[in-house]
Amino acid sequence: MDNIRNFSIIAHVDHGKSTLADRILVKSKIVNERKLVPQMLDNMDIERERGITIKARTVRLDINWNGKDYILNLIDTPGHVDFSYEVSRSLAACEGAILLVDATQGIEAQTLAHGLLAIEQDLVLIPVINKVDLPTADVGGTKKEIIDVFGFSEEEIILASAKEGKGIDEIISAVIERIPAPKGNAEEPLSALIFDSHYDSYRGVVAYVRVFEGEIKKGINIKLHSTGKIFEVQEIGYFRIEPEKTDTLRAGEVGYVAANIKNIEDARVGDTIEEDKRPTKRILKGFKPPLSMVFCGLYPINTDEYNLLKDAIMKLKLNDASLVFEPETSAALGFGFRCGFLGMLHMEVTIERIKREFDIDLIITPPSVVFEAVKQNNEIVKIHNPLKMPDPGTIVSLREPYVKVSIFSPAEYIGAIMELCSNKRGNYIDMEYLDVKRVIMRFEMPLSEIILDFFPLLKTKTRGYASLDYEFIGYRESDLVRLDILVNREKVDALSSIVHRSKAQEIGSKIVSSLKRLIPRHMFEIPIQAAVGSKILARENIAAMKKNVLQKCYGGDITRKRKLLEKQKEGKKKMKMLGDVQIPQEVFFEILKNS
Ligand code: GTP
């Protein structure tokens, strides 16, 4: 076991984690530079296009270093704020991590957030400054930040250019010399951590595991601690570039286990695997079921595609334990699904995959957080859908989720960030200087404000320089109301939302004026209103149409008349009827896209 090193790379998005991972892979015996596909560890198309690592992937490398054979298990971690729980479990599988910082950017939000997660787990950190080849690299400033923030000494910091292959040998030496070999006893009862999983149509769920004690062998019965469910191990193996079967995974090792598990929720990240007959005392700490923070409705634009959409969501769910969904019906949009996600990025990626991999056009209702209603008997009801908000008379109070936001930015934008956060109902907590030029500002803020348009506004106000991290801190009482939109006095269910009372007027007026622009005229006048309860906050009228469509024909040609009527009928098919009002499908699409 003393030749094994289990480690991860911690880096903010774009600081070069995948490029460095590829460089380390090249040093192993099985890959040479010719076979290397750029960023081999990011193996989903969308990840590659967006340049972000979403799902952790792992690889085992054999390396001969100074005449001795080593096994390096590089455990890749997702780099985005939605996936910090997965990051913490991947780190829990390691003894150390490379802390990679871009010399042109310095320490960013995820560098610090994930660095702190690693320190909490007592990992050995190896600080590396990347991209030193760039003319804009500020090696001195970045060094100083790393020393000040994490307390390293200057001698510990390695300078590298993953792109040009500089510093790679030094990094590998540091991994071997500074990170301790795993400890553990293969004779003890089995205790293994699941740090990731994926679904494979032949093997069922493949769980990625780190064995801490004991060993996993083919044919034994394993028990998943959190559910008590028992499965027989069918296959175990290592992660090479392709999976490679093996007979046993022993204490200290990292690999995969397939045990005919059909449902990904039965192999939850963070859970402990033990042997059914020999339960372990070493239940691994930190297990948490995934928490859906953001919900939205997904409807097919073409109602015939409902079953296709259902299949698509179920297929994605096979691979994604944190995706939750249930069928939902809307008077305006028809049949669809209400889906829950870990955060906005998780939502965006899932929707993009449905559109792209399954070729389904979607209408997406505005994302919403999960609100809570406190009833008179103190019972708490979760509200996943604005339409399910209880009658205000039946509840004591409403609550909404709050997060602690950390924003990293050049100091010149402090004023702009303060203003933005206070507009978003944020409470300032504190501010710290990373160095003379850069600060971390912290706020408490409702999550609902962050999922609206906070990211793009922050980027605009700081010219793209700020980065952000947030963590859920709990529910707080809040003055919330349901904002309804009425067209010709009929409520349009798909457009209802729960908002803070102070924002209802502004949001309502915006939707009402967009609807006025988008809904075609009818033979009668159509009032469009935004309302909270019976109180109307905004109103516009669509004036009645004066001419009917046949008048254009000047009474003459009958075939022309028929054609025109048919065309009109065709157009009607794509309309949604709302009482007497016909609303073209695109209206929902446009409104929901812009809101
Ligand atoms: P995520 O997967 O989003 O977490 O990003 P990442 O940290 O894996 O970054 P990635 O390796 O994709 O690199 C981001 C960009 O920086 C790419 O365009 C790389 O080519 C570039 N890059 C990485 N390392 C270096 C380096 O040492 N020097 C220079 N000049 N560019 C680099």
Side-chain angles (χ1 to χ4, degrees):
M1 211 185 337
D2 66 349
N3 64 339
I4 299 179
R5 299 292 180 274
N6 299 317
F7 71 106
S8 234
I9 304 173
I10 290 173
H12 193 73
V13 173
D14 271 352
H15 282 205
K17 182 173 58 161
S18 305
T19 313
L20 175 61
D22 287 349
R23 284 287 169 194
I24 297 175
L25 274 173
V26 172
K27 298 282 177 182
S28 78
K29 290 185 200 162
I30 46 162
V31 186
N32 60 40
E33 207 147 353
R34 258 181 298 139
K35 270 205 283 178
L36 191 78
V37 181
Q39 274 127 55
M40 217 166 231
L41 291 186
D42 288 359
N43 51 13
M44 274 165 62
D45 277 356
I46 294 172
E47 288 186 13
R48 216 171 273 176
E49 251 170 55
R50 291 186 167 216
I52 42 167
T53 312
I54 295 158
K55 218 50 185 123
R57 292 282 173 265
T58 281
V59 68
R60 171 174 160 133
L61 317 168
D62 292 312
I63 212 161
N64 186 284
W65 210 252
N66 296 333
K68 202 176 156 192
D69 282 332
Y70 289 92
I71 295 165
L72 305 188
N73 289 308
L74 169 53
I75 296 175
D76 199 13
T77 53
H80 190 275
V81 53
D82 286 357
F83 301 92
S84 62
Y85 176 66
E86 295 195 14
V87 173
S88 81
R89 294 308 84 202
S90 297
L91 294 177
C94 301
E95 275 73 31
I98 295 168
L99 185 84
L100 190 69
V101 183
D102 183 331
T104 66
Q105 307 291 320
I107 291 175
E108 297 277 359
Q110 265 83 63
T111 329
L112 184 63
H114 297 171
L116 293 177
L117 285 176
I119 290 169
E120 266 170 37
Q121 325 232 15
D122 291 330
L123 262 55
V124 170
L125 286 177
I126 301 169
V128 175
I129 298 181
N130 191 31
K131 307 197 188 182
V132 297
D133 58 290
L134 289 174
T136 47
D138 175 10
V139 176
T142 310
K143 256 189 192 166
K144 190 168 179 312
E145 268 184 21
I146 293 178
I147 293 166
D148 290 351
V149 173
F150 288 98
F152 291 110
S153 67
E154 190 167 350
E155 299 68 48
E156 289 174 273
I157 301 173
I158 299 171
L159 303 187
S161 163
K163 192 170 173 188
E164 295 183 349
K166 188 174 169 247
I168 309 301
D169 284 358
E170 230 181 316
I171 293 173
I172 293 176
S173 284
V175 166
I176 290 172
E177 280 154 24
R178 297 190 208 169
I179 297 177
K183 294 195 190 78
N185 184 345
E187 308 306 321
E188 288 286 309
L190 170 66
S191 166
L193 168 75
I194 302 180
F195 61 87
D196 192 14
S197 62
H198 78 259
Y199 187 83
D200 176 314
S201 44
Y202 299 108
R203 300 178 180 94
V205 175
V206 176
Y208 295 34
V209 300
R210 156 71 196 270
V211 183
F212 282 93
E213 303 282 358
E215 64 179 325
I216 304 184
K217 282 194 236 163
K218 194 176 163 181
I220 65 166
N221 280 340
I222 50 168
K223 182 156 113 187
L224 278 314
H225 186 78
S226 76
T227 58
K229 290 193 183 171
I230 295 165
F231 298 91
E232 186 188 321
V233 175
Q234 307 290 325
E235 184 184 322
I236 43 185
Y238 301 128
F239 303 102
R240 300 291 189 184
I241 301 304
E242 298 294 331
E244 182 182 302
K245 286 186 202 173
T246 173
D247 297 329
T248 168
L249 278 179
R250 296 164 68 88
E253 290 194 289
V254 171
Y256 68 85
V257 178
N260 233 338
I261 304 175
K262 294 283 172 242
N263 185 345
I264 200 136
E265 285 176 340
D266 285 335
R268 288 199 162 145
V269 169
D271 206 352
T272 305
I273 295 181
E274 54 187 337
E275 194 173 349
D276 179 35
K277 290 213 193 83
R278 269 180 96 195
T280 178
K281 291 202 179 68
R282 188 163 173 194
I283 301 304
L284 303 163
K285 282 185 290 190
F287 173 69
K288 266 197 317 197
L291 192 60
S292 304
M293 300 299 278
V294 179
F295 280 76
C296 72
L298 300 186
Y299 291 84
I301 290 190
N302 178 351
T303 46
D304 299 342
E305 291 188 340
Y306 174 77
N307 282 324
L308 275 181
L309 175 61
K310 185 172 168 190
D311 284 352
I313 296 178
M314 283 171 62
K315 282 211 181 99
L316 291 179
K317 168 78 194 167
L318 282 177
N319 249 316
D320 185 352
S322 28
L323 173 64
V324 299
F325 67 97
E326 61 178 35
E328 179 179 78
T329 320
S330 148
L333 303 177
F335 294 104
F337 294 91
R338 178 132 293 251
C339 299
F341 307 93
L342 296 174
M344 287 303 279
L345 183 90
H346 185 211
M347 181 181 112
E348 280 168 25
V349 168
T350 308
I351 289 171
E352 211 163 304
R353 290 187 65 187
I354 294 175
K355 288 183 184 166
R356 210 186 287 186
E357 291 171 29
F358 300 91
D359 199 20
I360 303 172
D361 291 326
L362 291 175
I363 296 184
I364 302 134
T365 66
S368 160
V369 299
V370 182
F371 296 98
E372 283 184 352
V374 185
K375 296 196 135 182
Q376 260 124 10
N377 59 2
N378 276 339
E379 188 198 339
I380 292 172
V381 182
K382 296 260 180 204
I383 310 169
H384 297 105
N385 180 340
L387 297 172
K388 306 247 169 83
M389 182 161 140
D391 189 324
T394 66
I395 53 176
V396 181
S397 62
L398 285 163
R399 297 176 179 170
E400 65 179 320
Y402 264 71
V403 289
K404 183 167 138 193
V405 184
S406 309
I407 299 171
F408 286 59
S409 169
E412 61 199 279
Y413 302 114
I414 291 174
I417 293 171
M418 283 283 190
E419 193 190 333
L420 172 66
C421 292
S422 100
N423 281 340
K424 296 287 176 189
R425 299 191 282 133
N427 293 324
Y428 171 74
I429 308 172
D430 62 11
M431 181 165 76
E432 233 175 275
Y433 275 84
L434 274 172
D435 55 39
V436 283
K437 286 185 293 196
R438 299 208 324 137
V439 292
I440 316 178
M441 300 167 76
R442 297 188 185 87
F443 297 84
E444 288 176 343
M445 213 182 279
L447 178 64
S448 61
E449 296 286 351
I450 298 216
I451 68 172
L452 277 177
D453 51 1
F454 190 73
F455 289 105
L457 283 175
L458 179 68
K459 287 285 173 198
T460 317
K461 291 202 182 281
T462 62
R463 297 175 180 225
Y465 279 115
S467 70
L468 156 142
D469 180 68
Y470 62 82
E471 57 179 324
F472 174 59
I473 50 172
Y475 274 84
R476 305 237 170 118
E477 197 172 320
S478 185
D479 189 7
L480 299 165
V481 291
R482 190 177 76 208
L483 178 68
D484 293 322
I485 303 296
L486 297 100
V487 172
N488 207 19
R489 297 182 184 82
E490 292 246 6
K491 191 163 90 190
V492 188
D493 59 1
L495 299 180
S496 288
S497 55
I498 296 178
V499 299
H500 193 259
R501 194 181 297 277
S502 65
K503 299 280 172 90
Q505 172 80 49
E506 180 193 329
I507 298 173
S509 306
K510 212 172 112 192
I511 299 180
V512 163
S513 55
S514 310
L515 281 175
K516 179 177 179 182
R517 184 167 48 81
L518 293 166
I519 296 179
R521 287 182 174 200
H522 283 55
M523 302 302 286
F524 47 89
E525 187 185 70
I526 305 170
I528 299 175
Q529 298 157 311
V532 168
S534 57
K535 194 168 163 217
I536 305 295
L537 301 180
R539 176 181 174 135
E540 297 268 6
N541 284 333
I542 300 178
M545 185 158 59
K546 294 206 177 66
K547 288 178 212 146
N548 87 33
V549 64
L550 293 182
Q551 276 172 350
K552 277 194 204 144
C553 297
Y554 306 111
D557 186 349
I558 186 75
T559 49
R560 256 188 81 198
K561 240 185 217 177
R562 198 170 292 142
K563 259 193 199 148
L564 211 62
L565 281 172
E566 256 160 36
K567 220 168 150 194
Q568 203 185 37
K569 221 161 106 194
E570 187 99 319
K572 267 187 197 164
K573 272 196 214 148
K574 291 193 189 132
M575 300 277 183
K576 289 279 180 189
M577 286 304 289
L578 215 97
D580 294 333
V581 180
Q582 293 173 353
I583 305 188
Q585 275 278 21
E586 312 86 76
V587 168
F588 293 105
F589 195 67
E590 283 295 313
I591 283 277
L592 297 176
K593 198 174 68 187
N594 296 331
S595 58

